[in-house]
Amino acid sequence: MSLEYANHCIQMQKLELSKYKAALVKAKEEKESGEKTISSYFLNAEIDIPIDIVIKELEKKVKIGEKLLDNFIKERRSEEHTSELQSPCNLVCRL
């Protein structure tokens, strides 16, 4: 993975993660206000989803998203290190 691509992945994952976190906060606020379900549209039909299920699924998405972000950051660090080793002042010879 190139350093530029790793940076792109990190930015995209941060964006996705922020969306899930915002949705999770909103769902928790709605639950605290007494809501039991969240209305959603699926294939042009309105369905009510139990709010506890929505919160549980969003928590999973946030957890997975945070792990992916960590992996992208580790990959970028690896690329940065490799780039440093391959720079003219730190030329690496591989046999």
Side-chain angles (χ1 to χ4, degrees):
M1 181 183 297
S2 73
L3 186 57
E4 183 178 319
Y5 184 68
N7 286 331
H8 172 74
C9 290
I10 289 168
Q11 292 305 315
M12 295 303 296
Q13 190 58 35
K14 283 182 179 178
L15 179 63
E16 286 298 308
L17 192 52
S18 69
K19 290 178 187 178
Y20 287 129
K21 285 182 176 180
L24 180 58
V25 167
K26 183 167 175 39
K28 287 182 176 181
E29 288 172 352
E30 289 186 21
K31 182 179 179 180
E32 287 176 9
S33 72
E35 293 293 326
K36 302 284 186 214
T37 62
I38 291 181
S39 294
S40 180
Y41 287 92
F42 180 71
L43 298 177
N44 295 327
E46 185 176 351
I47 57 172
D48 291 329
I49 304 169
I51 203 160
D52 289 330
I53 291 173
V54 172
I55 290 171
K56 185 177 179 180
E57 289 302 312
L58 286 170
E59 287 172 340
K60 284 181 193 176
K61 295 270 188 190
V62 167
K63 188 175 182 179
I64 290 168
E66 287 172 342
K67 285 181 181 180
L68 280 171
L69 183 58
D70 286 344
N71 288 342
F72 287 135
I73 290 170
K74 287 175 187 172
E75 183 67 30
R76 180 179 66 186
R77 286 186 191 134
S78 173
E79 285 296 324
E80 287 171 349
H81 181 68
T82 301
S83 295
E84 289 169 5
L85 291 176
Q86 292 176 351
S87 67
C89 64
N90 295 311
L91 191 59
V92 174
C93 180
R94 296 182 187 164
L95 299 175

